[in-house]
Amino acid sequence: MRHLLAFFLLLSLTLYYNIAFSSNLKVVATIKPIHSLVASVTEGILEPELLGYATSAHNYILKPSDASNLESSDVIFYVDDNLETFVQTFAKNNKELVQLSKAINLLPTRPHSFSRKITHIKDEKDLHIWLSPENAKSMILSVSATLSNIDKENSHRYNSNATKAIKKIDQEVKEIMKELNDFKNQKYIVTHDAYQYFEKYFGLNHPSAILSIEEDSYIGMKSFMKLKKIMKEENIKCIFAHSQEDSIKPNALSNDAKMVVLDPIGSDIEPGKDAYLAIINSIAQNFKSCFVVSVQRCGLRDNR
């Protein structure tokens, strides 16, 4: 009986603690990796909402449910006004809009290799900021500081969660760094230039060629032959595509190189606090899977 009473007392205290220290804030994050970072800070306090992105943050059209979530939110965490162009529409009623790119040293965009249009505009910035774990840690601190300032009663819990999340990132990316260490000199091509922050953080080569969005569906014969020449001269065996849909040219080059899809926002990954590291790990494993085959092919050729 005494043990039963102790159990109910502990249960009551636990329920009281969760009720007393939960938050009534409504928090929204725009894309899955950002939502994951926010969720790691708010764990046990509140559940952030995620907008219904499918495969890309570019040119996203808001669903009515998304607009409703944004309208009724207290805090919106997003990447940048130049990426989520709709966010400023909801800047009213003392709503807190947190542009996380302000916490990051942004890299300039890179010129595309074969584009017929001018794609490299002076001062244009690369907004795929979440693909650097160092940037992720900066964003976690920004999320924690914002929520601690608004919801002071739970500030110590936000800060504690942020510290735990940063420690977890440090531990897991250390292992990823080891896995990619042997492939730092591998050369490759990308059909969507989303991975500059990832490349820099993990010490990978920059792409030998970057295809623009327009070239995902069309590339002229002259540019196509130039691409094949680059691949031959630099012994490129890996092409990284943004999705299966942009694989027209990689498929045409399938006899020369392997195509692997890299997903920068984790379309098939379950949302939540663990999604961020799952996205980073998935990209790393997909890089590695192609590089391993490339190294093996070179080894076989050298042994002939």
Side-chain angles (χ1 to χ4, degrees):
M1 178 64 74
R2 195 182 309 166
H3 292 303
L4 192 60
L5 287 172
F7 169 76
F8 279 113
L9 179 60
L10 180 62
L11 181 62
S12 298
L13 287 172
T14 301
L15 290 172
Y16 171 77
Y17 182 87
N18 287 336
I19 293 169
F21 292 95
S22 62
S23 176
N24 291 322
L25 281 178
K26 181 171 181 181
V27 175
V28 173
T30 52
I31 60 173
K32 195 178 293 181
I34 300 302
H35 174 265
S36 178
L37 298 176
V38 174
S40 70
V41 175
T42 64
E43 182 182 10
I45 307 166
L46 61 88
E47 290 290 335
E49 300 278 346
L50 171 64
L51 298 189
Y53 284 100
T55 58
S56 176
H58 301 281
N59 303 317
Y60 179 71
I61 299 174
L62 283 178
K63 299 175 183 176
S65 58
D66 289 334
S68 177
N69 271 334
L70 291 166
E71 187 70 40
S72 60
S73 65
D74 300 302
V75 187
I76 301 172
F77 290 104
Y78 67 109
V79 177
D80 191 272
D81 289 329
N82 290 311
L83 184 64
E84 299 102 325
T85 55
F86 54 82
V87 167
Q88 288 299 328
T89 306
F90 300 91
K92 50 190 173 183
N93 301 327
N94 298 318
K95 196 185 305 294
E96 188 86 15
L97 305 184
V98 185
Q99 183 176 317
L100 292 169
S101 63
K102 290 182 177 180
I104 305 301
N105 291 322
L106 298 174
L107 298 175
T109 56
R110 300 186 287 199
H112 299 142
S113 303
F114 304 109
S115 180
R116 292 169 297 161
K117 299 177 183 178
I118 298 173
T119 57
H120 186 59
I121 301 172
K122 187 179 179 181
D123 298 329
E124 186 177 332
K125 301 299 182 182
D126 185 343
L127 298 176
H128 301 88
I129 56 175
W130 62 91
L131 293 180
S132 163
E134 198 61 41
N135 290 350
K137 292 190 288 183
S138 296
M139 289 188 279
I140 284 171
L141 291 175
S142 179
V143 171
S144 178
T146 299
L147 295 178
S148 294
N149 186 54
I150 297 171
D151 182 16
K152 292 181 173 58
E153 189 175 50
N154 286 301
S155 61
H156 66 289
R157 298 181 72 194
Y158 293 126
N159 292 330
S160 176
N161 284 344
T163 300
K164 185 169 68 174
I166 288 171
K167 184 177 180 181
K168 187 173 182 181
I169 288 174
D170 284 336
Q171 289 172 340
E172 297 209 18
V173 299
K174 193 179 294 183
E175 295 304 313
I176 296 172
M177 191 78 76
K178 289 178 185 176
E179 289 192 63
L180 292 177
N181 191 55
D182 292 336
F183 306 104
K184 290 185 175 181
N185 295 322
Q186 292 297 306
K187 296 185 177 181
Y188 59 96
I189 289 169
V190 294
T191 69
H192 177 64
D193 191 27
Y195 308 98
Q196 183 177 187
Y197 292 98
F198 186 95
E199 296 157 17
K200 187 174 181 180
Y201 182 86
F202 289 105
L204 300 177
N205 262 333
H206 63 271
S208 295
I210 300 169
L211 306 183
S212 69
I213 292 173
E214 67 183 49
E215 292 157 349
D216 288 343
S217 57
Y218 171 81
I219 189 169
M221 182 55 69
K222 185 177 179 180
S223 293
F224 186 76
M225 296 310 294
K226 181 182 175 183
L227 184 62
K228 284 181 71 73
K229 183 180 179 183
I230 290 171
M231 291 176 66
K232 183 177 180 180
E233 290 177 349
E234 300 194 20
N235 194 30
I236 293 170
K237 299 300 179 185
C238 293
I239 300 175
F240 296 105
H242 179 53
S243 68
Q244 291 292 347
E245 286 71 34
D246 71 358
S247 62
I248 294 174
K249 291 168 304 304
N251 280 341
L253 295 164
S254 60
N255 290 330
D256 304 298
K258 180 181 179 182
M259 188 200 80
V260 174
V261 173
L262 301 177
D263 183 0
I265 65 170
S267 304
D268 297 325
I269 290 172
E270 188 71 21
K273 65 183 180 64
D274 297 322
Y276 176 74
L277 282 170
I279 292 167
I280 295 298
N281 190 62
S282 174
I283 293 170
Q285 294 308 314
N286 284 328
F287 264 114
K288 181 182 174 181
S289 70
C290 194
F291 290 154
V292 166
V293 172
S294 176
V295 169
Q296 288 173 343
R297 284 179 179 175
C298 290
L300 287 171
R301 186 171 62 249
D302 292 343
N303 290 331
R304 286 174 183 170

